[in-house]
Structures are given as C-alpha cells and as structure tokens.
Amino acid sequence: VASATPAEEAHGPRRVKVPDIFREKNPLEMAARQMCVPDPNWPQNADVQWRIIALARGLGLPMPRPFRAPYMPGITVLIPHYGESILMMTKELFQDGGRKGELPLMHWLKHTYESEYAAFTSRMQARSEGWPVAGSDWGEYTKAQWDKMNSWASMRMQTLWRTVAGMCLYHPALQCHFEAQADRSSSLARPDVWDPSECFRCLVSMQMYKFFDQTQIDHTNQMFEKLPDCLKVAFIDCQGKGRAADADDVHPRQRRRYFSCLIDKTCDALPDRSRVPKLRIELPGYPILGDGKGDNQNHAIPFMRGHFAQCIDANQGAYFEQMLFLPCALGEFRSRYRGDPQAKRIVGFPEHITSDIGSIGDFAASAEVAFGTILQRTYAALGARMHYGHPDIMNKVFMMQQGGVSKATKTLNLSEDIFAGMDFTLRGQGRTIHHQEYFHLAKGRDLGFNTVLGFFSKLASGTGEQVITRQAFRLGQILPLPEALTFYYAHVGYYFTQYLVSMSLPLLAFVWLLVVSSDCEGSFDAFLSCSVGGRSAAEIMAGLLGIWFSWLLLLFLIASSLPLFVEVWSERSFKTALVRFGKQLCTLSPLLFIFQGKIIGHYVTNELRYGGATYVSTGRGLPTERRPFVGEAHGKGLKLKKVGGLYLDYAAITYYDGAMLLAGTVLIAFVGGAGAAQSQLNWIFVSLSLVIVSWLFAPFIFNPYQFEATRFWEDLRCLTAFFMEDGGRHWVEWYNRTQLRKGSGRSVVDIVFFLGAFFIVAWYAMMNVKIQALGQIFAAYSKDQLFELNVLMLMPPFICSMAYCVVAMALERIMGCYGAIRRLRRRPRRSGAAFLDLEAGAPGVADGAEVEEAEAREVHVAERDRAVKPAADPQGAGGESGCRCCLFGMPLAISAVCVLLLDIVEAAVALYRFTHVGWWRAFVAGLMLKWGISCLLLHLGEGVLRSQVFERCGRFGLVLDLWVRAHRMARDILTSVLILVALTPLVLINMLNDYLTPGLSLHHLLIYRNPNHLSKREAIVHACQWDVPEQPGAPQPKA
C-alpha cells in the first residue's frame, strides 16, 4: 500500500459517510428487496446495476497477487479492423425524407437509452447556449450538433470508436494504480520516467487504411486526437516495385512491394490528412493469403509492446472499474523460476453482452452469455477450452513460436481464432488454457434476424473445415478419452447434433407416412396381410410416438435453457432469471432457435460435401428497416428495380423443406395417421407445428413492418414481376447464382442421389405389395398386362412435360422468339479469370456474366441485393428477326404451371385403378413414389446442366434445360404463394390492430418489446387572428 502523504499525516484520518449501497445486508433483506420492496438506493439503469454487481462479485473471487506499479509487464491490445464503422454518421442515424412509417435509428437509440440521452442533452445545453430543445425533431439539429450526437451514438452502437475508447481505459487505470500503490522508492517511479504508455499499447490493425476514403481518414484522426497517446495504428502499405526490385530479389511475378507500417498521433499528415508511417517493415509478398482477419492480426505482431497480448474484436467495449483488474490478470502469468510453465498459458475471461435490444438481440445475447460464462468454465475444467476471439490474454512469446495469434490458411482456417488454442494445446510442455471470472469486457452481438443467422452460417462453415484439419486429427490422437469427448461435444459435435435434430422430424414424418400408407385399405383387405394382432398401423405408430413425444418435451425445452437460467440466477436473482426466461418464450424464441438449428445443419453438411467456405461479414446494427419478400418494384407496373429479399435468402435452406414437411403432415392426416389415439399424438403435432412454422415463417415474423398492408401488396406485385418480367429472367439469374452454380465443382451424382435411392426403394417395396394384390383382384389381367400395369404405376410423370418442352422450344425457334433459356445460352461467356485484383485492393473491370460465374464457384457466397439492369434486346444478339409480340418468348412461369399440371394429370391417370377400388392409401403411396423418382431425375438433370457435357448437348440440351428450370420455378411459385397466403391473416390482424389501437403495435411488441414507436404526423398550423400583428387603423376583435 502506498505511504501516506505529508498532508494526510498532518490532518489525520478523515471520517466519511458510507453510501447505503455498500452496507452489508443479510439474505432475508436481500430477498425482500428483490421480490417485494424495491431498494430506493439501488440505481435504475440496468447497465449500472450490472457494473456494480460484476465489480462486487469480482472482488470476492480468488485472484492472483497483482503486479505493483511501476513494475508492470507490458501488454498490447490488438484490434483487427477491415471495413467496420469507426464513427456513426448522420446518414446512418437519420435520413430526412425517409420511407413513410419507418423510424430512424436515432429514435430507437434515444428510446433505448432514454435516461442517458436526457443526461447527454442536459450536458450539451449547459455547455453551449445554442443547443436546441428539439427532442426527436432530428431535422432541426445543425451539423456541429450532429457531430456530438454521432459520438454519443457511437458509444452505444458496435463501432470501432467504442472499442478503442474502452480499451484505452487501461491507460488511466494503470495511472490510477500508480497513484494509489506505486513503489515511490524505485527510479522507475520518477515523474519524468513513469508513463502508462510504456506498459500498455492499444494497437488497431487497419488492413484497408491505404484505401480509406476521406471520411474514414477523418474518423481515424479524431481517434488520435481524442484518445491517449497509447493508441497506434498498423496497416499494410503498398507501392510500385521500383528500379531496385531486381537488386532486392523481388519475385518477378510480384506486382507490388508491401510493407507493415505503424502510425500514431505524432506522425506528419499528408495532403489528404492521412499519416506518414513512422515504422515500415517490408513483407516478403502479398500478405493477405487467408480470409483476412488472421493475416491482419499477424502482420501487426512486430509492433506489439510487452510480453502479453489481448486479441479482441471490433465490437467490444470496456468499463473503467474492470480495467483496474489488469494487474491481477497479468499476475496469472507470474513465473516462480526460469522455465516455469505458469507463463505458458492462455487465460480467458467472460464478456458482458450489451446488445440485448429487442427480441432477436436478447436471444443472441442469451446464447452468448451462456457460451461465454458457464460453458467456458466447464470446458476449461474438463480440459477442452480453446481460444474463441474472446478477451483472452496470451503470452506473446509463445504464440509467436506457433506462427502467430491466428491461423490464416484460406478457407481451411475460416474460424481462425480457435486454431490458436488448438496449436497451443498440441505443443504441450506444460501449456494450459484457463478461464477466470473476475475480469469482464463488454461485447455487442448481432441484433437482426439475418445478421444472427449469417454469423452462425460462418461458424458452421468454419466448423466443417475444422473437421478435416490436421490439428483436429492430432488432438483426437493425443487427448485422453474424457478430454477428447469434451472437445468433440464443445466444437464439432454441437454442429453435427444440430443437423441431426433438424433432420429428425422430417425423417420421422417420412417413416410415419410410409407405415400408415402400407396399412389395410378397408376394402379387399383379404388380399393384403397388413394387420398385427388386430391393431392397425396408425394405432401402432400412435402408441410409439406417444411414448417418444410426451410432456417430457417441456423438460427438454427447459433443459436447453437451463445454463442461461442458472447463470442469470447466480449473477442477479431468481426473479430476474424467471422473468427473462418468460419473456423469451412469449416472444417466440423457440422459432428462432429451431430455424438457427436448420441453418447450422445446412452449412456444416454442405461444407463437408462441397467445401468452399467464405467469410461472411455481418452488420450488427439494430434492424429498423423492412426487408422485402423478393425485391423492390418501380412505382408502377410489374418492373423490379432491385432483387433481394427474405424469400431468396432462405428458399433453398428452409422453405422447401418446410413446405415438404407441411405436405407430409397433411398426407399423414389424409391417410388416417392422425385418426387413431388422438390424445397420444398431441405432442408430436405440437413439435411438427413448431418446426413447420419456424421453417416457413420465422424470417417474416421477425421482420419489421412485415404485416403492413401497403407493403404486403407491394410484395405481391414484386413476386409477380420476379417470375414474369422479361420471361422470368430475374428468377433464372437467381437460380443460376444460388442453386445451379455452374463451375462450382459439384458432380452429377453425389450423396443426395444415393439418399434418394433409399427413399425410392422403401416406397417401391411397399407399392410392389399393393400392385401384386391389385393383380390378384383383377385376375383377368395377363402377365403382360400386369407388367404394363407395374411399369405405368412406377414410371415417373415426365413424358407429357418433356413433350411440352420439346414443342415449346420448337415453336420458339420457328417464330424467332428468345425465351429466358435461349437468351441464357446466347450470352457470351468469359474466361474464368478473376475479375478482382486482390493485390491491388481495388476492383477491376467486369461485366455481369463474369461476376455471376465467379460467384457460382463460391459454394457459400452470401446472396446480396442486386440492382436490376435493363434486359438486352434478343434481336440484337445476332439472331433472326421475329415478331415483336413474342420478343421474349414463352414466359417461363407459364411453362412452369403447364409442366406441373401435366405431371399431376399424368400421375393421377396412371394411378386411377387404385381409386377405382377405394385404395386411397395406395394412391398416396404411388404419388409419393412418382414424386421421389421425379425429384431424383431433376437432381440428375441439374447435375448435367452444371457439367461440361451440357455444352455439347445442342438442342436436346435446351429441352432438358427448360424441363429442369420449369419444374424448379414451379416449386418456387408454390412455396412463395403458400407463404404469402398463410401470412395474409396476419396482415388482416395487423390492419385491425392499427384501426383499434394505433399506438399499440403487437408486432413491434414482439420484435422490439415496445409497442409505442410511431412516426410523428405532420400538421399545418394556421395563425389565428389574435396572433397576427396589429395594423394601424385595423379594427380590434371583440372580447
């Protein structure tokens, strides 16, 4: 403890009054305060409450002896940055003349942080007389006032400014330690020697600083001006090879020379206000060889100060009182002798999630809280914790021995953080990974539906790549069995389990329908041997499903939420945990997590099948704008100006499977599967309903302003234009990018083909029994006629639809028309050369065809919104002249409806004999068999279309192309219409809600947990007669 100053010794100890919040309270008083009578001395701000509780809890936990100033070891906080927001800008917070009914982001921030905004306004009014009392009239604020509000909003959004400002709190915290308990007798404690910046450095690795625009450069300079001199920025600079390239042994194929550079506030400014580097280290070539983040961290390691490093993300923050724990955290590495393995460790710490705004934000924050606290301490105790990008502190010396703080191999190390822990564990020699609870940093998580699922798609793809890495293989060999099982469960096993769970109900519905369809028909049962012990197949399945699905389903639901519940209970109170759990159930959290499990399963299995994982950048802002269904339309007519929406985002991942599961459930009820033992099937139908609703409607339920009538009708207009405009070219382009993916390396026959073969064999075995029984009923049939009957019933319905495609393509050619298929074939193709100059860091010249073909090669490329370009005139492509009435040929949507109707008619005619004898179960089974074979043929057809053989198929290739695309468009038409029809009642309910209670939106209550957000109406105020200035000689109004 520091010695007392002469002034303190002269005056003696002082008497102070301790605030009531620090008074010791017994458990009975605490329970009464939490449950019955609120404590008037307890702050109302939730963030302040957490800070006090976290500080008190941290002081009570075991921690090592802290380092004493000025003998602090050096530490560097490394923050990678690519294109994240540095400071919020006015156009992000408020846009004058925005869309009617939508509220600006600034309004949501003001409401969410109401007391803090009031304090901010009060401070501004006290400092400057010109600060307006404008409230939420955002257009009344000046540019200078918006600059202040941008800084205030940046500290409450997930910006780099908030992260750097929080991390720089280490600087005053170290100074506070020096003033409180420094060893004044040391020469290092002299005022002219001691400097916190010598112990701490905040290093921001800005990969794209060289290519920043003027706004980003200005924001970076503002950070230098406002924050302490411990802030440094590392970036990658590049320049021409120069005349000395040969003398310096620069590789002949290297286009430029690259340098790791360091700048700070003392560097000179160039004319564009960027800084001149004070340190430059030439790199041996282009440094970004992976997905960016790992290389961005590793190239900045030479500029780190001290032995320890803390790698954090650009969406984190910090609190001053938590920064005071830094000397204790560094004490975790204190070694007692040379070679002490105590220094060979990674020490992890929990995070405080601050982005629990709205329902989606609360769901994501809850999952992150459970993962970052109770699960981390469990993994650490069982020996399977790794590094996850959390605020872990590492010994930089030992991390440099394994190649850096992250692995950076392209695609393979997409989840780059975890490999630091895996390599660290593999090196052994006493290296350990620990987890402590007394020190926290803040972190923001995703707030929107699409951003949350985009983040999990990245994690799932990265996990699929982890499975095939040598680190995972070696850990499986050297870890003892308990640690190996924990490592599997904590990483790969979780994602595989999500896939198995998401596939369990569709598989169960398939088996249920198969068993019930094989039951007796109620007529001519003597020819069928189908009853077991006098019980029907429906009763047997009902008894089995009644055992599997019972009230125990609630127990599993509660068990999945138990980690979060226990953590909140231990940190806050039982009441707080119960209220939070209840809010999540009431705001439909199961729908999000069911959908999330489907997304995870899709991406992790696709990664193992095809590879090609890519980094997915997710915005973390509060979703205040409505995402359309398929795009945005022009003012009038069926013309799209932008393609992109919720249906296109998830059609191939969840909507198709949700529609098939719904159809399977309807067929189960149709064939009598739900008629027997109804009471035993309640829970299975609850489970099916949850999965169907989640897979089909969850994105729309959590979409802001989804059920407004005017926008819903606009969705209908956009959907029609999506399928009909220019013969269906919007759908064709989207299908090529997201599903067909020519050039992606997929084979014609893959695992889906063999799984489909099992499906067909199962239905064929059952149908064969039915057909044999039908042959016994109609004994007049000869063997040849019975064989023809078998072929007719088992043949997929493709003859009529294929004939239609032949006729349609022939008519188009005769009439000189160019449908969507022919225009696609006539488009000139480019070579596979890359259209993006990665080394230059700037895009090159590319047309739409090149971009589309390059994206098709990326299996997991994120679908983004695209502006619509005018369609090229087919007659200008060098083709024959034809009538203008059929310039774009037969619309593909009409062909889709025709082939669908022809398939249904062909299948029904082939199976009419079953309906003739009243065998409806056999009829449904026949439809399922024909549908399965048709799906298998379509899958093979898609494989041919994306193969190189297709280019040599000539006119037959056009027919096959039309047949495949028409069926796929028919699937999209049915699925999209099903979703919109099912959403129509919710639109009507929302209209009724707006009519009866305009200020209480139930949908906003669900999404934002606040129903009172309405845009203000504008009114025209007329001056009354008394407000008009008096004119000389004018008559005065009567009293």
Side-chain angles (χ1 to χ4, degrees):
V1 179
S3 58
T5 62
E8 291 176 344
E9 293 178 352
H11 295 284
R14 293 183 299 167
R15 185 180 297 275
V16 296
K17 292 185 178 181
V18 180
D20 183 76
I21 195 173
F22 294 106
R23 179 175 58 84
E24 184 178 0
K25 304 175 180 65
N26 58 46
L28 185 60
E29 182 181 359
M30 291 290 296
R33 290 296 188 186
Q34 292 177 0
M35 298 294 182
C36 305
V37 184
D39 189 350
N41 300 303
W42 186 246
Q44 299 300 314
N45 188 289
D47 198 40
V48 176
Q49 292 179 5
W50 179 87
R51 293 176 66 172
I52 295 174
I53 292 173
L55 178 61
R57 187 174 62 251
L59 291 172
L61 292 174
M63 63 183 73
R65 179 168 53 88
F67 281 96
R68 185 180 182 184
Y71 311 115
M72 295 284 183
I75 182 173
T76 297
V77 171
L78 178 60
I79 308 171
H81 176 270
Y82 182 77
E84 295 86 355
S85 297
I86 300 176
L87 261 173
M88 296 298 295
M89 294 185 289
T90 305
K91 64 181 181 180
E92 297 175 315
L93 298 173
F94 169 71
Q95 290 184 352
D96 197 5
R99 189 159 186 169
K100 183 179 179 181
E102 289 187 359
L103 293 171
L105 177 59
M106 190 64 200
H107 177 88
W108 294 98
L109 290 175
K110 174 182 177 294
H111 173 79
T112 305
Y113 305 99
E114 190 168 2
S115 60
E116 298 175 31
Y117 183 79
F120 164 74
T121 304
S122 177
R123 289 196 306 271
M124 293 299 103
Q125 291 173 351
R127 294 176 183 176
S128 59
E129 297 180 356
W131 191 270
V133 189
S136 58
D137 293 333
W138 310 115
E140 301 296 324
Y141 291 89
T142 64
K143 182 181 183 302
Q145 292 162 352
W146 266 113
D147 290 340
K148 299 287 187 181
M149 295 170 63
N150 290 342
S151 299
W152 179 86
S154 298
M155 292 300 294
R156 284 146 188 87
M157 295 293 291
Q158 300 178 42
T159 59
L160 181 67
W161 181 278
R162 178 193 181 191
T163 302
V164 175
M167 293 302 105
C168 286
L169 290 176
Y170 277 132
H171 190 275
L174 290 174
Q175 182 64 28
C176 182
H177 274 284
F178 175 79
E179 296 175 0
Q181 50 90 31
D183 182 5
R184 304 286 180 173
S185 61
S186 173
S187 60
L188 298 176
R190 295 202 310 265
D192 58 335
V193 175
W194 164 256
D195 185 2
S197 298
E198 296 294 326
C199 304
F200 164 69
R201 171 173 291 180
C202 181
L203 182 61
V204 184
S205 184
M206 290 183 168
Q207 179 180 334
M208 300 301 292
Y209 181 82
K210 173 73 174 179
F211 306 101
F212 272 6
D213 57 28
Q214 197 59 55
T215 300
Q216 293 171 310
I217 292 176
D218 292 341
H219 289 174
T220 306
N221 290 334
Q222 287 185 48
M223 286 198 303
F224 283 137
E225 295 170 2
K226 296 287 186 180
L227 300 175
D229 57 0
C230 61
L231 174 61
K232 314 290 181 182
V233 170
F235 70 96
I236 299 174
D237 195 7
C238 58
Q239 65 182 31
K241 296 171 67 172
R243 298 179 179 178
D246 294 336
D248 294 339
D249 292 331
V250 177
H251 196 280
R253 298 184 62 183
Q254 183 176 324
R255 300 184 184 182
R256 298 184 176 186
R257 303 179 77 163
Y258 301 92
F259 304 87
S260 289
C261 303
L262 185 73
I263 58 175
D264 58 15
K265 62 175 22 174
T266 63
C267 296
D268 297 331
L270 295 172
D272 62 350
R273 296 196 289 276
S274 62
R275 304 277 178 164
V276 178
K278 64 188 304 183
L279 296 175
R280 286 164 61 94
I281 303 173
E282 184 167 6
L283 302 173
Y286 184 64
I288 307 300
L289 303 177
D291 290 290
K293 182 180 176 182
D295 299 301
N296 194 20
Q297 290 176 319
N298 291 332
H299 93 88
I301 289 179
F303 304 123
M304 284 182 168
R305 189 174 188 87
H307 283 121
F308 303 107
Q310 186 177 30
C311 299
I312 66 169
D313 294 331
N315 62 334
Q316 299 191 225
Y319 304 106
F320 176 75
E321 69 277 4
Q322 293 293 325
M323 300 293 99
L324 296 173
F325 287 108
L326 177 62
C328 298
L330 295 177
E332 299 280 353
F333 298 89
R334 182 182 283 110
S335 56
R336 294 163 294 182
Y337 54 88
R338 183 179 297 274
D340 187 359
Q342 184 80 1
K344 303 175 183 178
R345 55 168 49 185
I346 296 176
V347 181
F349 299 98
E351 297 166 321
H352 170 51
I353 309 301
T354 60
S355 57
D356 53 348
I357 304 174
S359 297
I360 298 294
D362 183 44
F363 302 157
S366 299
E368 191 71 17
V369 166
F371 179 76
T373 53
I374 190 169
L375 293 180
Q376 291 301 305
R377 72 174 73 108
T378 304
Y379 297 160
L382 296 176
R385 188 191 186 277
M386 300 296 159
H387 172 55
Y388 306 101
H390 294 178
D392 296 358
I393 297 180
M394 300 174 267
N395 193 319
K396 184 189 71 173
V397 176
F398 294 102
M399 301 309 296
M400 292 172 62
Q401 297 174 6
Q402 61 187 45
V405 296
S406 294
K407 301 296 287 187
T409 304
K410 183 72 173 177
T411 303
L412 194 64
N413 301 133
L414 179 63
S415 300
E416 72 288 328
D417 296 329
I418 191 175
F419 290 95
M422 295 169 73
D423 283 331
F424 193 78
T425 303
L426 283 171
R427 287 182 172 262
Q429 298 179 351
R431 289 173 171 83
T432 54
I433 301 178
H434 295 265
H435 180 78
Q436 301 295 340
E437 297 280 344
Y438 55 83
F439 177 48
H440 291 75
L441 289 184
K443 186 168 187 175
R445 269 265 64 91
D446 311 277
L447 296 173
F449 190 88
N450 274 23
T451 57
V452 168
L453 297 177
F455 173 72
F456 277 100
S457 69
K458 170 182 172 287
L459 292 184
S461 300
T463 303
E465 292 291 340
Q466 287 177 31
V467 177
I468 59 176
T469 60
R470 60 182 179 182
Q471 286 89 351
F473 173 73
R474 291 174 179 173
L475 282 174
Q477 287 183 316
I478 68 173
L479 286 178
L481 182 60
E483 285 80 357
L485 293 177
T486 306
F487 176 76
Y488 172 80
Y489 170 79
H491 302 95
V492 179
Y494 169 78
Y495 296 91
F496 286 169
T497 302
Q498 292 292 312
Y499 170 73
L500 295 176
V501 170
S502 64
M503 290 301 298
S504 59
L505 270 183
L507 182 61
L508 182 61
F510 162 74
V511 175
W512 191 3
L513 181 60
L514 178 65
V515 172
V516 175
S517 300
S518 65
D519 200 7
C520 295
E521 300 284 352
S523 61
F524 301 99
D525 288 345
F527 296 92
L528 295 171
S529 300
C530 50
S531 60
V532 179
R535 300 176 63 192
S536 65
E539 292 175 345
I540 295 174
M541 286 300 299
L544 181 63
L545 295 174
I547 296 173
W548 289 351
F549 291 85
S550 63
W551 62 269
L552 292 176
L553 185 66
L554 295 177
L555 181 61
F556 285 101
L557 180 64
I558 295 174
S560 62
S561 304
L562 198 58
L564 173 68
F565 186 87
V566 172
E567 186 63 32
V568 177
W569 184 4
S570 62
E571 290 184 358
R572 304 296 296 270
S573 66
F574 179 80
K575 178 183 177 182
T576 304
L578 191 62
V579 169
R580 186 168 186 176
F581 179 70
K583 282 184 178 180
Q584 291 187 352
L585 287 183
C586 293
T587 50
L588 306 181
S589 62
L591 297 186
L592 173 71
F593 291 116
I594 292 172
F595 198 92
Q596 176 182 300
K598 177 65 174 173
I599 294 290
I600 291 174
H602 170 83
Y603 276 95
V604 72
T605 53
N606 269 22
E607 189 60 36
L608 292 174
R609 288 163 59 189
Y610 308 120
T614 57
Y615 183 81
V616 179
S617 59
T618 58
R620 296 189 175 96
L622 180 67
T624 59
E625 297 181 358
R626 181 183 188 270
R627 184 153 179 78
F629 193 77
V630 292
E632 298 178 9
H634 284 287
K636 296 181 180 179
L638 299 178
K639 295 289 185 180
L640 290 179
K641 64 179 180 181
K642 182 183 290 187
V643 175
L646 284 178
Y647 179 79
L648 307 184
D649 293 337
Y650 303 109
I653 303 176
T654 62
Y655 298 150
Y656 298 157
D657 293 340
M660 286 192 293
L661 185 58
L662 175 62
T665 305
V666 172
L667 289 178
I668 289 172
F670 177 75
V671 297
Q678 182 66 38
S679 60
Q680 296 179 318
L681 299 176
N682 291 333
W683 289 105
I684 179 62
F685 279 113
V686 168
S687 303
L688 285 171
S689 301
L690 282 174
V691 173
I692 291 171
V693 171
S694 176
W695 288 2
L696 283 177
F697 308 114
F700 306 100
I701 291 175
F702 293 106
N703 189 30
Y705 309 100
Q706 171 64 45
F707 304 116
E708 287 192 2
T710 55
R711 304 190 188 188
F712 186 75
W713 306 134
E714 185 176 351
D715 283 341
L716 290 175
R717 186 160 62 95
C718 291
L719 183 65
T720 305
F722 179 71
F723 288 121
M724 297 296 295
E725 184 180 355
D726 296 339
R729 73 178 179 99
H730 299 309
W731 179 90
V732 170
E733 293 171 356
W734 168 75
Y735 175 75
N736 286 349
R737 291 192 306 267
T738 60
Q739 299 184 42
L740 191 59
R741 295 187 182 277
K742 292 184 178 181
S744 60
R746 299 187 183 184
S747 61
V748 177
V749 178
D750 61 2
I751 189 64
V752 175
F753 176 84
F754 297 102
L755 294 178
F758 281 110
F759 176 91
I760 293 172
V761 168
W763 284 101
Y764 173 76
M766 188 267 292
M767 278 297 297
N768 190 43
V769 176
K770 300 278 187 177
I771 293 174
Q772 294 297 330
L774 189 65
Q776 295 177 9
I777 295 173
F778 296 95
Y781 285 159
S782 63
K783 291 185 178 180
D784 293 338
Q785 291 175 326
L786 188 59
F787 176 76
E788 293 175 1
L789 180 64
N790 289 339
V791 172
L792 187 62
M793 290 184 177
L794 299 178
M795 184 184 302
F798 73 96
I799 296 178
C800 295
S801 58
M802 189 65 75
Y804 168 84
C805 293
V806 172
V807 173
M809 296 307 299
L811 289 177
E812 279 192 1
R813 183 170 182 82
I814 292 173
M815 300 180 66
C817 301
Y818 287 85
I821 307 300
R822 295 188 67 194
R823 277 181 284 139
L824 182 68
R825 292 289 296 273
R826 296 184 66 86
R827 186 175 64 182
R829 296 190 177 274
R830 302 289 192 267
S831 65
F835 63 91
L836 187 65
D837 185 4
L838 294 176
E839 290 197 357
V845 179
D847 63 3
E850 288 177 309
V851 174
E852 184 176 313
E853 291 176 7
E855 287 182 347
R857 300 186 189 99
E858 299 289 344
V859 178
H860 298 295
V861 64
E863 175 66 9
R864 61 179 185 270
D865 296 352
R866 299 168 185 270
V868 173
K869 299 180 180 179
D873 188 352
Q875 303 295 346
E880 312 89 355
S881 61
C883 60
R884 299 291 297 179
C885 63
C886 63
L887 182 63
F888 290 105
M890 176 73 72
L892 189 58
I894 295 179
S895 297
V897 174
C898 291
V899 297
L900 178 64
L901 294 178
L902 289 173
D903 286 346
I904 293 175
V905 171
E906 184 178 351
V909 169
L911 299 173
Y912 85 95
R913 288 179 177 84
F914 288 123
T915 62
H916 183 66
V917 296
W919 285 12
W920 289 103
R921 291 189 177 93
F923 179 78
V924 170
L927 288 179
M928 292 296 298
L929 179 59
K930 289 179 175 292
W931 172 78
I933 299 176
S934 298
C935 289
L936 197 62
L937 291 179
L938 286 170
H939 181 75
L940 291 175
E942 285 182 322
V944 173
L945 293 184
R946 66 172 64 98
S947 67
Q948 297 180 357
V949 178
F950 176 68
E951 302 297 334
R952 309 188 189 97
C953 292
R955 296 177 183 177
F956 174 75
L958 289 175
V959 175
L960 177 63
D961 201 354
L962 177 61
W963 185 77
V964 172
R965 293 179 189 271
H967 281 87
R968 292 312 191 196
M969 179 181 272
R971 178 180 63 179
D972 281 307
I973 292 175
L974 290 177
T975 306
S976 58
V977 170
L978 169 65
I979 293 174
L980 287 178
V981 169
L983 293 178
T984 303
L986 297 179
V987 176
L988 299 177
I989 292 174
N990 189 71
M991 293 173 60
L992 182 64
N993 177 45
D994 292 341
Y995 177 76
L996 297 178
T997 56
L1000 182 66
S1001 173
L1002 296 179
H1003 192 217
H1004 281 183
L1005 182 63
L1006 171 67
I1007 297 177
Y1008 302 113
R1009 298 183 180 176
N1010 189 297
N1012 297 320
H1013 289 282
L1014 291 175
S1015 57
K1016 293 185 177 180
R1017 293 189 302 111
E1018 292 185 355
I1020 301 176
V1021 180
H1022 300 278
C1024 63
Q1025 188 176 4
W1026 287 270
D1027 295 333
V1028 179
E1030 295 184 5
Q1031 300 293 334
Q1036 299 296 322
K1038 296 180 180 180

